Amino acid sequence: MNLSLLIDAFSMVFNIIGMVLGVGGLLLAQRSIRRWPGYSMTAAGFLIATLPFWYQLFTTLTGTE
């Protein structure tokens, strides 16, 4: 199976996991004294949620598939 088809098929899963990590990270940053773990969790959630977009952009710019 092609990697781009696999990422397209699981794009909704990536979005949901990324949103849950983002909201959880923001809640953790709001409630704790040390905020960096929550912010880093939010950043990781953002990267996971936007993974299909970044992959599509990378393959478009490089011309690989």
Side-chain angles (χ1 to χ4, degrees):
M1 184 174 224
N2 197 356
L3 183 62
S4 65
L5 292 175
L6 192 65
I7 287 182
D8 286 341
F10 288 106
S11 65
M12 181 75 70
V13 175
F14 287 131
N15 287 331
I16 290 172
I17 291 172
M19 285 189 291
V20 167
L21 279 175
V23 170
L26 288 175
L27 286 174
L28 182 66
Q30 181 183 14
R31 295 172 190 246
S32 66
I33 295 171
R34 300 178 69 192
R35 295 175 186 237
W36 68 267
Y39 288 144
S40 61
M41 192 169 146
T42 301
F46 175 77
L47 290 176
I48 291 172
T50 59
L51 181 69
F53 167 75
W54 292 117
Y55 179 76
Q56 184 180 11
L57 181 68
F58 178 73
T59 57
T60 302
L61 290 176
T62 59
T64 60
E65 183 58 36

